[in-house]
Amino acid sequence: MYHYTSGRWLWNEKEQLSRRYVKFNLAELVKIATRATGSKSCVEVQKLPEGNFSKVFLLTMEDGKEVIAKLPNPNAGPQYFTTASEVATMDYVRNVLNIPAPTVYAWSLPTEEIGAEYSIMEKSRGVALGKVWDDLPGPDKLKIVHRLAGFEKALVSTRFPMYGSIYYADNLRNIDPDQVIELGDKKNTVSVKFAVDPTTNRTFFDDGRNSVNVQRGPWASLEDYAFARANRELACLQTFSKFPRPQGLFYGPGQYQPTAQRKQETLQNFLKIAKFLSPKDKEISKPVLWHPDLHGDNIFVNPDQPTEIISIIDWQAVNLSPLFLQARHPALIEFEGPIPEGLKAISLPDNFNELSPEEQLEAKKLRAAQSLYKHYDIQMIEDCPEIAAALKFKNSLAGQIMGLSGSLFSDGEPIVQGMLIRLQEEWGSRVGSSIPCPLSFTEEDKEHQKEDETKWASGVELMEEFLGQVGALGRLGESQ
C-alpha cells in the first residue's frame, strides 16, 4: 500500500523508492471516504497502477458507489500546496470553463488521523480513451482532437493577474488583493474566490530543486518569472555537485564533460539578455493554465460514443505559466517520425507501390498520424490563433533559449550557449542595432562551444542506443 510497485530503477533505486513512499492510515482514509459519499461502509479497496507522483486507490462502497482516493508522493511537489492547488484547479476548470474534470468530495493536508494529505474524488465514468483509440476511425479521431483543442482554447481564455498556481482564496493567508480572482460558480449560487499563489510547477521541485531557497511565486511579470527560473538553476549549481537527468552518456575519455562553471556561465549570459527575448505579442506570454499530459489514459470517453469526452483527470501540478512555455500538442497525437512542414495535405511516399505490404501499412499509419498532428495545427490557427502563435514562438530562437534555460542544472548548456552565440551574431536583426549587445563571445569561445556540442550530441546518441538495447522505459535513474 505504501510503496511504489510499478517499476524499478537501474541505479539510485533506494532514493527513488523513498521519494515515492507514503505512510498513511488506511482505515481512517476509508472512514472519510465513506462519510463523504453518504454510504454505510466500504467493502473493497483496490490499489490502482500508480503513476510517478501519487498513490491511487479505488474504494467501493456497500451501495455500489465508487470513489478515487489520491495521495501525492513526496516527489509530487510542496506539501499541502500540491493537493490544495489540484483541488481548486479542477473546480475552476469544471465549473468556470466547463471542461470535464472529477468532482472532489473531500480533501485535506496531512492530519494525525491520516498521516498524509489526500483527496477523495469521483471515479471517472466511461473508459480510458487509450483502450479504444487505435480502433477508432479517422473521422472520430478528428472529432476528439477538435474537442481537445476546444478545451485548450477555454484554458487560455481567462485573464489571470499573475504567474503561479490556483488555490481557493479562503485557504490562503496574507494574500494581496491583486492575486484574487472572484468568479461566480456557474453550477451553484455561491460565489467562489480563487487566488494565485506559489507555483506547483514541478520544475521548481524536481531533482532536489525543492531544497534550495528560491522565489516560487507568484510573479507579476514575465521577466520576473524568467529570472526566477534561471536563479533557481544557479542556486542548484551552488548547492549540488552532481547534475540530474543527463540526456547522454558523458564524462568518459573523449566525451563531453559537464561542469558547474560552464552551466553557470551560460545562465549568467542568459540573464544578461533575458529581458530582450520577450515576445512582442503579449497574448502569447500571458499566464495560462494548461494540461501538459493529455494522453489516452488521462482522457475518459463514452464507450458507446467515443467522441464524447466525459472526464479529463490528473490535474496535479497544473499551473499558471507563460503560454509559449505551456503550449504543446496533446500527447495523444504525438508520434515517432518526421513532422511535415507547412499545412499542405500529407501524401504517401512516391515509391508507395513498390513497397512491401508491411511497409505500405506503416506508411499509411505514418500519414494518418501526421495528418492528425497537422489537423491540430490548423484547428488552432482557425479557432485560437494565440495558441498557434505561441507554438511558433516556442520553436523560435528566443523561445528555445527561454525554454531550455530553465533546465540547465540538468543538461543542455552546450546547446543553449550555441543559441546565445547565434543571438550575438544576429543581434542587430533580432533586437536592434540601437541596443548594444551584452554578450561578448570570442572566436575561441565559439570553437570551444562547437566541440562541446559535437561531443554532447555523440553522448546523447550513445544513450539512445544503450536504452534501445537494454529495453529501458525511461532515462537512467528515472521512472518510466
Side-chain angles (χ1 to χ4, degrees):
M1 286 290 184
Y2 311 138
H3 295 268
Y4 181 81
T5 55
S6 291
R8 301 292 302 273
W9 280 263
L10 295 177
W11 59 50
N12 290 340
E13 184 171 50
K14 184 177 180 181
E15 177 186 352
Q16 296 290 351
L17 291 175
S18 70
R19 296 174 63 214
R20 294 162 177 82
Y21 176 84
V22 181
K23 184 70 177 291
F24 62 96
N25 187 320
L26 179 61
E28 289 297 325
L29 185 68
V30 167
K31 286 181 183 178
I32 292 171
T34 304
R35 288 198 301 266
T37 58
S39 303
K40 294 181 180 179
S41 64
C42 175
V43 297
E44 183 180 13
V45 176
Q46 179 185 359
K47 183 181 181 183
L48 300 180
E50 58 194 308
N52 196 19
F53 299 103
S54 297
K55 302 281 181 290
V56 182
F57 301 90
L58 174 62
L59 280 59
T60 304
M61 306 301 164
E62 99 290 341
D63 54 7
K65 293 177 183 174
E66 294 180 315
V67 295
I68 296 293
K70 184 174 183 179
L71 299 91
N73 295 334
N75 67 335
Q79 192 175 77
Y80 172 75
F81 290 99
T82 298
T83 297
S85 180
E86 181 181 19
V87 170
T89 300
M90 286 194 294
D91 187 355
Y92 180 84
V93 300
R94 183 180 62 253
N95 291 321
V96 178
L97 301 181
N98 290 319
I99 296 174
T103 297
V104 177
Y105 301 126
W107 68 279
S108 177
L109 69 164
T111 62
E112 289 187 10
E113 292 78 14
I114 301 296
E117 62 186 285
Y118 66 87
S119 57
I120 308 295
M121 65 186 76
E122 66 175 330
K123 176 182 179 291
S124 294
R125 296 175 295 111
V127 61
L129 178 57
K131 294 183 177 180
V132 300
W133 177 257
D134 289 340
D135 297 325
L136 293 179
D140 282 358
K141 290 183 177 180
L142 288 175
K143 289 180 182 178
I144 291 171
V145 172
H146 180 83
R147 185 68 171 146
L148 292 176
F151 292 153
E152 290 175 341
K153 179 180 179 180
L155 286 173
V156 304
S157 65
T158 304
R159 293 283 175 181
F160 291 99
M162 309 182 93
Y163 304 93
S165 286
I166 290 181
Y167 304 87
Y168 291 123
D170 292 343
N171 295 138
L172 301 172
R173 297 178 180 177
N174 302 321
I175 58 173
D176 190 283
D178 291 339
Q179 297 172 232
V180 176
I181 316 155
E182 185 168 2
L183 296 162
D185 189 322
K186 294 184 179 180
K187 294 186 178 180
N188 299 290
T189 57
V190 298
S191 177
V192 179
K193 283 187 178 181
F194 297 94
V196 182
D197 221 23
T199 185
T200 56
N201 188 327
R202 288 202 179 99
T203 62
F204 280 83
F205 303 96
D206 283 349
D207 303 313
R209 290 176 174 88
N210 60 300
S211 63
V212 296
N213 184 21
V214 295
Q215 219 281 333
R216 292 185 169 87
W219 303 274
S221 71
L222 175 62
E223 186 173 336
D224 288 344
Y225 182 82
F227 273 58
R229 293 171 79 235
N231 286 325
R232 177 197 69 215
E233 300 298 277
L234 285 169
C236 289
L237 291 168
Q238 294 166 359
T239 304
F240 305 106
S241 59
K242 294 182 179 180
F243 316 127
R245 299 177 188 265
Q247 296 183 58
L249 291 174
F250 306 138
Y251 298 106
Q255 291 182 322
Y256 178 61
Q257 308 289 323
T259 66
Q261 180 181 355
R262 179 57 56 87
K263 292 173 181 287
Q264 290 168 340
E265 289 173 353
T266 305
L267 282 164
Q268 293 292 355
N269 279 321
F270 166 75
L271 289 171
K272 292 177 184 178
I273 50 86
K275 64 181 179 181
F276 301 110
L277 300 180
S278 301
K280 295 179 181 179
D281 182 357
K282 301 303 180 183
E283 286 297 298
I284 66 177
S285 62
K286 64 183 180 182
V288 299
L289 292 172
W290 194 274
H291 195 302
D293 205 14
L294 288 178
H295 57 70
D297 291 336
N298 282 341
I299 304 168
F300 284 76
V301 298
N302 183 342
D304 299 321
Q305 189 177 350
T307 57
E308 178 189 351
I309 297 177
I310 296 176
S311 182
I312 295 176
I313 66 170
D314 196 6
W315 294 87
Q316 190 183 80
V318 168
N319 59 90
L320 291 163
S321 291
L323 174 56
F324 71 87
L325 291 178
Q326 295 268 53
R328 68 200 67 194
H329 292 75
L332 182 71
I333 60 173
E334 295 283 357
F335 64 95
E336 293 290 336
I339 297 174
E341 297 181 1
L343 300 176
K344 295 181 180 179
I346 311 299
S347 303
L348 291 169
D350 294 336
N351 64 337
F352 179 78
N353 293 329
E354 301 171 9
L355 301 176
S356 67
E358 294 78 11
E359 291 172 331
Q360 288 184 347
L361 179 60
E362 290 302 314
K364 288 181 179 179
K365 288 182 179 179
L366 177 59
R367 181 181 64 171
Q370 291 174 326
S371 298
L372 203 59
Y373 192 91
K374 282 301 175 182
H375 174 79
Y376 176 86
D377 289 337
I378 294 171
Q379 193 70 46
M380 286 304 172
I381 291 173
E382 293 178 348
D383 294 345
C384 197
E386 62 263 45
I387 294 180
L391 287 168
K392 182 178 180 180
F393 180 81
K394 186 174 187 174
N395 293 320
S396 69
L397 180 62
Q400 290 183 76
I401 293 174
M402 291 278 281
L404 294 174
S405 64
S407 58
L408 293 186
F409 169 48
S410 301
D411 201 355
E413 62 279 0
I415 304 302
V416 176
Q417 189 182 33
M419 292 177 177
L420 292 171
I421 289 173
R422 180 181 166 193
L423 179 64
Q424 175 185 309
E425 294 172 344
E426 302 174 4
W427 185 263
S429 60
R430 291 186 176 274
V431 179
S433 55
S434 61
I435 301 174
C437 179
L439 301 173
S440 56
F441 293 106
T442 65
E443 291 303 317
E444 183 180 355
D445 293 333
K446 295 177 183 179
E447 287 300 320
H448 194 178
Q449 184 276 326
K450 289 179 181 178
E451 292 176 5
D452 281 349
E453 184 170 350
T454 299
K455 292 179 180 178
W456 182 89
S458 177
V460 172
E461 186 176 339
L462 283 172
M463 175 74 88
E464 295 298 335
E465 181 181 343
F466 170 74
L467 292 177
Q469 290 180 358
V470 301
L473 294 176
R475 296 287 181 184
L476 303 184
E478 293 180 31
S479 66
Q480 299 173 7

